[in-house]
Amino acid sequence: MKTVNLPVYLAVRAIQRGNKGTFLLTIMIVALSFVLMVFMPSLTAGITGAYNQQVSDYQYADLIIEPDDDTQVLSDTHTLVRTIERTPGIAAASSHFIVSTSLKSDKMILSRGVVAIIPSDEERVTKTSGKITEGRYLSDGDTNMILLGSVLAGHDDEKKDKMESLGGVHAGDSLEVIFQNGVVRKMTVAGIFETGSISADNEAFITRKELESVLGATDKSSLILIRSSDADTLPQTKIRLMEFGIHDDIKTVTEKGEGIIGDALKSFSLLNSIMLVFSLVIASIVIFIVVYINTTHQRRQIGILKAIGIPERDIVRDYLVQVAVIYVSGALCGVALFTGLSEYFRAFPLQFPAGAVYPVFDLTVLLPSLIVLGVVSLVAGFIPARQATSEEILDLVNR
């Protein structure tokens, strides 16, 4: 017990007699290094989570069925949707038919793919109907009515537009819609929706009934959105759909999202790695310098300890205990600081194209960072301590 407690006793005495300002500053540097290590990965996780949530809520639901490579549309949509809804684990399904159009307002004309939906089905699959800011949502029987996203509708002041828009269209205004087959319809804007996602708010919807009046009766679709009863079992639900005879291209919302923002996530991953390396280098250099200065100033004391018979390993452990105290204190301060930042950004989130984003407190990110920072700290403290204690007693005492 005495052998075990001796390094602890020496470390406590050294901390008590040492410079308190330097000790606290070193702790804060370790804390800030930890925050730098975990902030970017946590922010990336927040961006990915927000994007996937937005995509699921307003664009692709939980699962998406698209035509395979050999076909451009899904055939026999009515039967396909009913088969999907009979599959265990499926809550609802909605078909989308995307038709090329030109939308003409008083100010602008834009080429845009308009999505034909059955509104009652869509309301069970996405949450767009709950984001109406002007007017109303579509009804199944609507004709000559169109629903616009806020980005597509635009602002009266074009300087506020995030993308090319119709120049400030509002609910009740009229649009001229020119379909791909040459049919021209004058449509009234039923409503404007705003989800917070730029891609979702750049869409336009009409009813399936309107589409059939323009193109004729059709039982085809561009894609089918599926809402699962349990979002945590999407891979199993995907397999179950295949077992029910659906052989078109089925993707989960995560797979769809990764395809869209894959390059962005790779860039964030590179930034995460850079921040990790810099944080570890800063922390290790600071701890190395602090221990090196301490051992340099305490050479005579180290020589006396060796002279009275205290083993070198206990003297090295003395400095490692000091480093451990600095690391643990710094890690606790870092976790507290990061928690405070997370709560602040949760209350005042960052605004990204994917929506409101805040860092995600994820143990799978925090724990590895704590372990790596701890190992680096101990190694940075061990090297100068070992160098000092390996010198001869007379060399230490006479300096």
Side-chain angles (χ1 to χ4, degrees), residues 111-151:
S111 296
R112 185 68 84 245
V114 172
V115 183
I117 60 172
I118 300 174
S120 58
D121 287 347
E122 189 73 10
E123 285 186 86
R124 297 187 299 140
V125 172
T126 66
K127 298 181 180 180
T128 305
S129 61
K131 294 295 181 177
I132 303 296
T133 58
E134 292 184 35
R136 64 173 178 84
Y137 195 63
L138 294 173
S139 300
D140 290 358
D142 280 342
T143 56
N144 298 322
M145 303 292 285
I146 187 168
L147 182 70
L148 301 177
S150 60
V151 172

Side-chain angles (χ1 to χ4, degrees), residues 257-380:
E258 286 176 352
I260 297 173
I261 63 167
D263 291 338
L265 291 179
K266 289 179 183 177
S267 299
F268 274 114
S269 178
L270 177 60
L271 289 175
N272 294 342
S273 300
I274 293 172
M275 294 295 289
L276 174 65
V277 171
F278 271 89
S279 301
L280 291 176
V281 169
I282 291 170
S284 61
I285 289 176
V286 169
I287 290 175
F288 180 92
I289 291 173
V290 169
V291 176
Y292 180 80
I293 291 174
N294 284 345
T295 55
T296 300
H297 289 172
Q298 296 171 7
R299 285 179 180 275
R300 183 181 295 275
Q301 179 181 329
I302 293 172
I304 294 172
L305 291 174
K306 291 181 67 175
I308 63 177
I310 295 179
E312 290 183 9
R313 65 176 181 272
D314 284 340
I315 301 174
V316 172
R317 288 173 183 170
D318 160 25
Y319 288 99
L320 290 181
V321 171
Q322 293 182 51
V323 170
V325 171
I326 292 172
Y327 160 70
V328 171
S329 302
L332 291 175
C333 290
V335 171
L337 182 58
F338 177 73
T339 303
L341 285 172
S342 297
E343 292 303 316
Y344 173 81
F345 284 116
R346 189 182 292 271
F348 305 98
L350 300 169
Q351 295 300 321
F352 279 75
V357 173
Y358 53 86
V360 176
F361 197 97
D362 189 351
L363 287 177
T364 60
V365 174
L366 266 62
L367 289 180
S369 299
L370 286 171
I371 293 171
V372 172
L373 183 60
V375 171
V376 169
S377 300
L378 290 174
V379 171

Side-chain angles (χ1 to χ4, degrees), residues 76-86 90 92-95 121 124 221 224:
D76 199 12
T77 297
H78 181 78
T79 302
L80 185 58
V81 169
R82 298 300 164 250
T83 300
I84 292 169
E85 291 184 330
R86 287 196 299 268
I90 301 299
S94 176
S95 62
D121 287 347
R124 297 187 299 140
S221 295
I224 294 176

Side-chain angles (χ1 to χ4, degrees), residues 68-82:
D68 56 30
D69 295 334
D70 298 328
T71 58
Q72 295 182 343
V73 293
L74 298 168
S75 301
D76 199 12
T77 297
H78 181 78
T79 302
L80 185 58
V81 169
R82 298 300 164 250

